[in-house]
Amino acid sequence: RTPGPEQTGPAAPPRLPRPPKQPKPLRQPGPARAARSAKPPRQARTSARDPYEQQMLGQVGLEAGPRQARPARAARNLGRLLLTTILLLLVGAVIYAMAFLPKAGQGSKAGQRGADRTGTSGAAPGGSPTPSGQDGGRGGERNGGSAGTGAPQTTAPADVAKGFEVRTDPKGFQVAVRKGWQRRGANERGQVRYAGGDYELVIVPGRDTTARFGTDPMAYLQNKEAELAPYRTSSWASASGLRRIDVGKTAMAEGTFTWRDSSGREVYVRNLAMIHEGRYHLVLAIGPDNDRRGVDQLYEQATSAYRPA
């Protein structure tokens, strides 16, 4: 019997297949499971700490950053300081070189002036300062001393100042003196004198030997030269400009001296001691202390033209 439409109910939905049963996971051994369950989670460890300890750890973490940055900043500051110091030293060296070191050519000019002053081998140092002390020359013309034995020969002036002439002495040496000065012959001390008023030029051509007085002209001039005995014994005396000069094999020494002579007059003396062929040759210019320029001119002219015999 076929059921009618009113008896037919809604159709049942079809059944889906059931998924297969998954195998159960293997159980872990007891100790491993217990260890895993005993380890608290990270959050639990952090929260388990004391609040004060957590605050201190936070402050330490905040301070760690600046402390790690400090060494880098200190290194940069040290580098800047070193660079600044090096630059300052370089600038100081340049300024010192510009201010104190001699400029190019000055050393050669100074050496040339020294060579001009010492002259050639065998020549005494000399020069031509500003002419002065003309009264000494006129005094010599008026009050010239008595001439000694032998007449000196007058030669043509060889680069001497006005009012001077180069003479070849009978003793064989050559020297520049003022025109009109009279020669006083060699005395018992081996001195040849050219006098003019208060001024005097004393030449000692090889009286003392190096075998007796040594080969150091400076020691001889200061301690053994007889012409400077008044300087050594005077109660009022001074010395300056002492120096040794060596030109080739010729050794010389010169100095400036002042003393009070037996008459009480203060004298100014320029002195040169030169070794030539084992003997000392002396040139002294003597005059009043109040006219040093005049004495300097006599000395410079005499020594520049002096040639030993």
Side-chain angles (χ1 to χ4, degrees), residues 4 30 36 41 45 49 52-53 59 91 93 112 116 125 132 141 158 163 175 194 206 218 249 261 271 284 293 308:
R36 186 176 60 183
R45 288 201 311 271
R49 289 178 177 170
Y52 177 77
E53 184 179 358
Q59 291 179 359
V91 173
Q112 184 178 2
D116 293 342
S132 62
E141 294 175 2
V175 68
Y194 289 87
M218 180 60 70
K249 296 182 179 180
D261 62 12
N271 187 189
L284 293 90
R293 293 184 62 188

Side-chain angles (χ1 to χ4, degrees), residues 17-167:
R18 296 181 65 178
K21 292 184 178 182
Q22 297 291 337
K24 293 183 179 180
L26 298 177
R27 295 173 63 90
Q28 294 183 359
R33 187 169 59 251
R36 186 176 60 183
S37 61
K39 184 178 179 181
R42 185 180 299 275
Q43 241 176 358
R45 288 201 311 271
T46 306
S47 59
R49 289 178 177 170
D50 187 70
Y52 177 77
E53 184 179 358
Q54 293 181 14
Q55 182 180 0
M56 293 303 294
L57 290 175
Q59 291 179 359
V60 170
L62 292 176
E63 292 177 358
R67 287 183 180 177
Q68 292 176 359
R70 286 178 187 175
R73 189 181 303 112
R76 288 196 299 271
N77 293 339
L78 181 60
R80 294 195 194 99
L81 179 60
L82 290 177
L83 181 60
T84 304
T85 303
I86 293 173
L87 291 177
L88 290 177
L89 289 176
L90 291 176
V91 173
V94 172
I95 294 175
Y96 177 83
M98 295 175 62
F100 297 101
L101 294 183
K103 297 181 180 178
Q106 286 186 352
S108 59
K109 291 180 181 178
Q112 184 178 2
R113 288 197 297 270
D116 293 342
R117 177 166 179 77
T118 54
T120 58
S121 178
S128 298
T130 304
S132 62
Q134 300 295 334
D135 293 341
R138 290 194 296 270
E141 294 175 2
R142 294 193 305 266
N143 304 320
S146 58
T149 58
Q153 298 179 3
T154 301
T155 62
D159 194 21
V160 295
K162 184 179 180 180
F164 286 82
E165 61 187 4
V166 179
R167 295 187 184 182

Side-chain angles (χ1 to χ4, degrees), residues 1 7 34 39 44-45 94 125-126 166 183 203 213 282:
R1 183 177 179 184
Q7 294 180 355
K39 184 178 179 181
R45 288 201 311 271
V94 172
V166 179
R183 176 184 182 272
I203 313 295
F213 293 96
L282 310 178

